[in-house]
Amino acid sequence: MTRWSIRSRLIVSFLLLIVVSLSLLGGYILWYFYQHNVDTLTNNLVTNARIIEHLIKDSMAGPMEKASLDARIKETTSNSNIRITIIDNNGNVLADSWENPTLMENHSDRSEIAAALAGGSGQSIRYSTTLAQNSLYVAIPIVRNSEILGVVRIASTLAQVDAAFSQIRSTLLAAILFTSLLSVALGIKLARNFTAPLEKITRAARRMAGGQLSEKVYINTGDELQLLAHTLNNLSSSLEDKMAQIVAETNKLELILHNMDNAVILLDRYGRITTANKMASEIFDLTPAMLGKHNLHVIGSSFFDQAVHEAIAQNKHQVIDLKTNFDNQKRVFQVFLAPVTAASNDIIRLLAVFHDITALQEINDRQAEFIANASHELSTPLTSIKGFAETLLDGAMNEPELRIKFINIILTEAERMHRLVKDLLQLTKLDSDEYRRQVNLEPVPIMPLITKVAQELKPQAQRKKINVEIAPSSDCIMALAHPDWLKQVLVNLIDNGLKYTPDGGHVHLSCWKEKNQVMIMVKDSGVGIPTQDLPLIFERFYRVDRARNRSAGGTGLGLSIVKFIIDMLGGRIDVQSQVDIGTTFVITLPLADKS
Ligand code: ADP
């Protein structure tokens, strides 16, 4: 804060100006007045001295005349308040109107006497101890026939001049005092007039600085202050606009950040978290109290921290894949790190955008796994075919028994490959979005479909003497499905039932309505599935007993195709099984309106 306000400075300046100028003027007037009075008195004294010189000139000729001189002088000036002193050319006092000359000392050392004895006229102002006053001394030489005979000195007190001087001085001092007081009062008034608009502008500027940008100040002085107020109003208006723009932009940004499905975190140069959006807070369990903490405490990954430091040190953006495990949820993020620089090119923040690629990563992993499994499944029969073909060429061809056996094996393996490729193609087809879009769901009568599939698989059942029973049910039960897909489901399930049921066993097929759903059951009295394998049987290429199931001709894809189709139809498949007793699959599908 300033110690002196403009107003007090103006008042003090005013006062100083008035006091200094009046003092100078008063001093000059006083000096001039005193000088003028002294000059006038001096001239009078000189005139008187000339008259006296003229009168006594001749009396200075002889000793007799000199002796009578004192009496004459005393007589002449008896009624006057001026003092006349006659001095001879040696400085001895011959006559004095007030004193006895014989008692007076030699006067040749007095400055005015010395000047007169030198031929000029002398003048001096001294304090007279005789009169106890300041006195003016004027001396002129007494010249006769060009010879200086002595000196006439006239002295007069300066009492009148001093009295007049002190009177004028008092008057002047009073005038200065009065004028100063007047100027202070005037100064206060003028300063107030001058500073009032300034104070108004200052108050308005303070309120604007406090955020009240709609504040306006109106001044009508017609000068620079009015211009200043106008400029201030313009400034606040444009600031208000800019602020509104900034607030709108910030809100927009906050809205985007808030609703983004990517986690966004802002870190400072030291790797501490300064800001986080809603998604980041959810993923990393970030509470507002944790803002300002180091990323290691929040994200807990030294790999991420290292990437942060590298991005800051090199001032270059970085992309890393980060695996996290928060709340027992494993996730993979592709993290984009970008340094945020200020105008001075200094790094002030680091932006980290976390793109959740868990699903993508899973798809990639599953695809890689699928390709590996498919290659493995294909390579097994191929190796077998290659091996038996080579053995045949190596000579086994010549032995009819072996030849037929090996060729049969080659045929079986080729059929297995064929089935595998067929299943793979089917999966690929079902996986294709384009194919799925083309297919429309329609009401499919279930019983005729079950009968048809059982009929198609009859030779297989007969081979194993398996009794396929179809429970009687209404023909008009219809599911909202796709006939080809649903047929594939039934083929796979009934085929499995026949495959994994020993000779002479049973396969039971039934269908019924339950609420708005169609239930289809495929039940067998087969080998069953161990409980621990049940959750895995719908996985691609999963087989309970690899060696046995491969020999049964399975590809490991049948149930995964079933699950895939049922999911697409919006249904559900449940399985119950007991080893050596049998397995039951129950499909639930939406009921078609017509039924
Ligand atoms: P696969 O072509 O080998 O039969 P699936 O995907 O159809 O492959 O079946 C996966 C595995 O589930 C089979 O290998 C088999 O072990 C088991 N499985 C499927 N259906 C039955 C069933 N009805 N009885 C016993 N095990 C079964």
Side-chain angles (χ1 to χ4, degrees), residues 496-497 499-500 524 527-529 537 542-544 549 554-560 583 585:
N496 274 357
K499 260 194 312 199
Y500 302 114
D524 65 54
V527 293
I529 304 165
I537 54 169
Y542 188 83
R543 295 188 188 98
V544 175
N549 295 350
T555 59
L557 291 172
L559 284 183
S560 62
T583 307
F585 287 95

Tab-separated table of all heavy atoms in Angstrom, residues 496-497 499-500 524 527-529 537 542-544 549 554-560 583 585, ligand 1:
chain	number	residue	atom	x	y	z
A	496	ASN	N	-23.133	-86.267	-30.404
A	496	ASN	CA	-22.324	-86.477	-29.194
A	496	ASN	C	-22.940	-87.574	-28.327
A	496	ASN	O	-22.226	-88.445	-27.817
A	496	ASN	CB	-22.249	-85.189	-28.364
A	496	ASN	CG	-21.116	-84.292	-28.832
A	496	ASN	OD1	-20.372	-84.675	-29.729
A	496	ASN	ND2	-20.993	-83.112	-28.231
A	497	GLY	N	-24.262	-87.520	-28.169
A	497	GLY	CA	-24.956	-88.525	-27.360
A	497	GLY	C	-24.679	-89.921	-27.885
A	497	GLY	O	-24.409	-90.848	-27.107
A	499	LYS	N	-22.089	-90.738	-29.833
A	499	LYS	CA	-20.641	-91.006	-29.793
A	499	LYS	C	-20.205	-91.465	-28.410
A	499	LYS	O	-19.380	-92.340	-28.256
A	499	LYS	CB	-19.897	-89.704	-30.144
A	499	LYS	CG	-19.428	-89.651	-31.588
A	499	LYS	CD	-18.417	-88.547	-31.859
A	499	LYS	CE	-18.813	-87.212	-31.324
A	499	LYS	NZ	-18.120	-86.084	-31.907
A	500	TYR	N	-20.737	-90.753	-27.368
A	500	TYR	CA	-20.233	-91.009	-26.017
A	500	TYR	C	-21.145	-91.941	-25.205
A	500	TYR	O	-21.089	-91.969	-24.004
A	500	TYR	CB	-20.004	-89.677	-25.289
A	500	TYR	CG	-19.034	-88.808	-26.065
A	500	TYR	CD1	-19.440	-87.608	-26.639
A	500	TYR	CD2	-17.706	-89.220	-26.242
A	500	TYR	CE1	-18.562	-86.828	-27.367
A	500	TYR	CE2	-16.824	-88.449	-26.979
A	500	TYR	CZ	-17.260	-87.264	-27.535
A	500	TYR	OH	-16.389	-86.521	-28.264
A	524	ASP	N	-28.599	-88.752	-22.630
A	524	ASP	CA	-28.044	-90.055	-23.004
A	524	ASP	C	-27.660	-90.843	-21.766
A	524	ASP	O	-27.565	-90.282	-20.667
A	524	ASP	CB	-26.858	-89.890	-23.959
A	524	ASP	CG	-25.687	-89.187	-23.335
A	524	ASP	OD1	-25.212	-89.624	-22.278
A	524	ASP	OD2	-25.241	-88.142	-23.888
A	527	VAL	N	-21.083	-92.129	-21.154
A	527	VAL	CA	-19.944	-92.157	-20.224
A	527	VAL	C	-19.974	-91.013	-19.214
A	527	VAL	O	-19.345	-91.072	-18.183
A	527	VAL	CB	-18.601	-92.127	-20.989
A	527	VAL	CG1	-18.402	-93.408	-21.778
A	527	VAL	CG2	-18.512	-90.893	-21.887
A	528	GLY	N	-20.713	-89.978	-19.556
A	528	GLY	CA	-20.809	-88.825	-18.638
A	528	GLY	C	-19.554	-87.936	-18.682
A	528	GLY	O	-18.542	-88.280	-19.306
A	529	ILE	N	-19.662	-86.801	-18.017
A	529	ILE	CA	-18.548	-85.837	-18.016
A	529	ILE	C	-18.196	-85.542	-16.553
A	529	ILE	O	-19.085	-85.221	-15.761
A	529	ILE	CB	-18.945	-84.525	-18.729
A	529	ILE	CG1	-19.426	-84.829	-20.174
A	529	ILE	CG2	-17.799	-83.509	-18.754
A	529	ILE	CD1	-20.173	-83.677	-20.815
A	537	ILE	N	-16.437	-77.631	-21.237
A	537	ILE	CA	-16.747	-78.407	-22.453
A	537	ILE	C	-17.187	-77.551	-23.638
A	537	ILE	O	-17.112	-77.981	-24.770
A	537	ILE	CB	-17.810	-79.511	-22.190
A	537	ILE	CG1	-19.056	-78.884	-21.550
A	537	ILE	CG2	-17.245	-80.623	-21.348
A	537	ILE	CD1	-20.225	-79.833	-21.513
A	542	TYR	N	-11.832	-78.171	-26.688
A	542	TYR	CA	-11.713	-78.854	-25.403
A	542	TYR	C	-12.319	-80.245	-25.498
A	542	TYR	O	-13.431	-80.441	-25.974
A	542	TYR	CB	-12.415	-78.054	-24.289
A	542	TYR	CG	-12.133	-78.649	-22.919
A	542	TYR	CD1	-10.951	-78.318	-22.259
A	542	TYR	CD2	-13.012	-79.552	-22.344
A	542	TYR	CE1	-10.666	-78.902	-21.031
A	542	TYR	CE2	-12.728	-80.134	-21.114
A	542	TYR	CZ	-11.557	-79.809	-20.460
A	542	TYR	OH	-11.268	-80.385	-19.256
A	543	ARG	N	-11.519	-81.205	-25.023
A	543	ARG	CA	-12.022	-82.587	-24.965
A	543	ARG	C	-11.741	-83.124	-23.575
A	543	ARG	O	-10.673	-82.852	-23.006
A	543	ARG	CB	-11.294	-83.452	-25.987
A	543	ARG	CG	-11.560	-83.053	-27.417
A	543	ARG	CD	-10.930	-84.106	-28.329
A	543	ARG	NE	-10.984	-83.708	-29.706
A	543	ARG	CZ	-9.972	-83.142	-30.353
A	543	ARG	NH1	-8.850	-82.877	-29.712
A	543	ARG	NH2	-10.082	-82.835	-31.617
A	544	VAL	N	-12.686	-83.913	-23.074
A	544	VAL	CA	-12.505	-84.426	-21.704
A	544	VAL	C	-11.351	-85.424	-21.667
A	544	VAL	O	-10.420	-85.291	-20.912
A	544	VAL	CB	-13.807	-85.075	-21.181
A	544	VAL	CG1	-13.575	-85.702	-19.816
A	544	VAL	CG2	-14.903	-84.028	-21.094
A	549	ASN	N	-11.558	-89.404	-27.072
A	549	ASN	CA	-12.497	-88.629	-27.873
A	549	ASN	C	-12.046	-88.435	-29.311
A	549	ASN	O	-12.842	-88.341	-30.224
A	549	ASN	CB	-12.760	-87.276	-27.214
A	549	ASN	CG	-13.467	-87.480	-25.890
A	549	ASN	OD1	-13.903	-88.600	-25.605
A	549	ASN	ND2	-13.566	-86.426	-25.116
A	554	GLY	N	-14.169	-87.049	-32.708
A	554	GLY	CA	-14.550	-85.669	-32.347
A	554	GLY	C	-13.500	-84.650	-32.756
A	554	GLY	O	-12.320	-84.957	-32.870
A	555	THR	N	-13.998	-83.449	-33.007
A	555	THR	CA	-13.079	-82.369	-33.386
A	555	THR	C	-12.827	-81.423	-32.209
A	555	THR	O	-11.931	-80.604	-32.243
A	555	THR	CB	-13.683	-81.519	-34.531
A	555	THR	OG1	-14.936	-80.983	-34.056
A	555	THR	CG2	-13.912	-82.333	-35.767
A	556	GLY	N	-13.650	-81.513	-31.191
A	556	GLY	CA	-13.525	-80.582	-30.042
A	556	GLY	C	-14.191	-79.259	-30.325
A	556	GLY	O	-14.064	-78.316	-29.541
A	557	LEU	N	-14.911	-79.162	-31.468
A	557	LEU	CA	-15.551	-77.882	-31.813
A	557	LEU	C	-17.065	-77.939	-31.724
A	557	LEU	O	-17.740	-76.923	-31.716
A	557	LEU	CB	-15.155	-77.457	-33.235
A	557	LEU	CG	-13.692	-77.044	-33.423
A	557	LEU	CD1	-13.402	-76.838	-34.894
A	557	LEU	CD2	-13.386	-75.783	-32.652
A	558	GLY	N	-17.607	-79.169	-31.672
A	558	GLY	CA	-19.058	-79.359	-31.718
A	558	GLY	C	-19.816	-78.527	-30.702
A	558	GLY	O	-20.721	-77.748	-31.059
A	559	LEU	N	-19.460	-78.655	-29.423
A	559	LEU	CA	-20.195	-77.932	-28.378
A	559	LEU	C	-19.954	-76.424	-28.441
A	559	LEU	O	-20.838	-75.651	-28.092
A	559	LEU	CB	-19.838	-78.476	-26.992
A	559	LEU	CG	-20.466	-79.818	-26.619
A	559	LEU	CD1	-20.102	-80.204	-25.197
A	559	LEU	CD2	-21.983	-79.779	-26.776
A	560	SER	N	-18.750	-76.021	-28.890
A	560	SER	CA	-18.508	-74.560	-28.982
A	560	SER	C	-19.388	-73.962	-30.074
A	560	SER	O	-19.897	-72.847	-29.937
A	560	SER	CB	-17.034	-74.235	-29.194
A	560	SER	OG	-16.588	-74.782	-30.399
A	583	THR	N	-25.486	-88.063	-19.617
A	583	THR	CA	-25.394	-86.609	-19.714
A	583	THR	C	-26.703	-86.068	-20.241
A	583	THR	O	-27.317	-86.675	-21.118
A	583	THR	CB	-24.251	-86.208	-20.672
A	583	THR	OG1	-23.063	-86.859	-20.240
A	583	THR	CG2	-24.017	-84.701	-20.710
A	585	PHE	N	-28.379	-82.503	-21.802
A	585	PHE	CA	-28.281	-81.117	-22.268
A	585	PHE	C	-29.697	-80.563	-22.396
A	585	PHE	O	-30.565	-81.222	-22.975
A	585	PHE	CB	-27.604	-81.028	-23.634
A	585	PHE	CG	-26.115	-81.283	-23.584
A	585	PHE	CD1	-25.594	-82.549	-23.833
A	585	PHE	CD2	-25.235	-80.243	-23.292
A	585	PHE	CE1	-24.224	-82.780	-23.786
A	585	PHE	CE2	-23.865	-80.468	-23.255
A	585	PHE	CZ	-23.355	-81.736	-23.500
B	1	ADP	P1	-16.084	-83.431	-29.927
B	1	ADP	O1	-16.162	-83.117	-31.377
B	1	ADP	O2	-14.778	-83.924	-29.484
B	1	ADP	O3	-17.227	-84.243	-29.471
B	1	ADP	P2	-17.469	-81.402	-28.575
B	1	ADP	O4	-17.184	-79.941	-28.524
B	1	ADP	O5	-18.721	-81.784	-29.220
B	1	ADP	O6	-16.211	-82.053	-29.215
B	1	ADP	O7	-17.454	-81.942	-27.103
B	1	ADP	C1	-16.450	-81.581	-26.249
B	1	ADP	C2	-16.145	-82.675	-25.278
B	1	ADP	O8	-17.217	-82.813	-24.360
B	1	ADP	C3	-16.037	-83.991	-25.917
B	1	ADP	O9	-14.733	-84.206	-26.363
B	1	ADP	C4	-16.457	-84.945	-24.835
B	1	ADP	O10	-15.363	-85.217	-24.036
B	1	ADP	C5	-17.427	-84.155	-24.050
B	1	ADP	N1	-18.824	-84.509	-24.368
B	1	ADP	C6	-19.641	-83.857	-25.202
B	1	ADP	N2	-20.855	-84.406	-25.245
B	1	ADP	C7	-20.800	-85.473	-24.421
B	1	ADP	C8	-21.729	-86.467	-24.032
B	1	ADP	N3	-22.987	-86.522	-24.515
B	1	ADP	N4	-21.308	-87.408	-23.157
B	1	ADP	C9	-20.074	-87.361	-22.657
B	1	ADP	N5	-19.155	-86.468	-22.991
B	1	ADP	C10	-19.507	-85.545	-23.857
